[in-house]
Amino acid sequence: MTTVTDTTDIEFQRRLGRTYKRTSIIMGVIGMFVLGIPLGIAAFIYARKAETQGVKATAGIVLAVMDIVLAIVFLVVLKPFNI
């Protein structure tokens, strides 16, 4: 049997999870343009936090991985040009 306190706690966790999800997506999108590796790692951490709160954060995880991979590819491609 759930009480009012349990329902409020569950709703708080969901709200917190949605905030983490939103933060991971924002960091993932910004990471496409600047600071890919640090923002990708941060986006991945926030997406995992959202999933521990019971909120699916697939978009945040995908954007985080894309940030990290694209930043590494970008560094490897520009390394011969000493940029």
Side-chain angles (χ1 to χ4, degrees), residues 21-52:
K21 176 183 175 181
R22 194 174 311 121
T23 303
S24 72
I25 291 172
I26 291 169
M27 286 185 168
V29 170
I30 293 173
M32 291 288 179
F33 303 104
V34 293
L35 301 172
I37 293 175
L39 285 178
I41 292 170
F44 189 80
I45 291 170
Y46 275 103
R48 295 296 294 163
K49 282 184 178 182
E51 289 192 345
T52 59

Side-chain angles (χ1 to χ4, degrees), residues 3 10 16 24 30 36 48 54-56 62 64 69 71 77:
T3 63
I10 292 170
L16 186 62
S24 72
I30 293 173
R48 295 296 294 163
V55 177
K56 286 291 188 186
V62 169
V69 169
V77 168

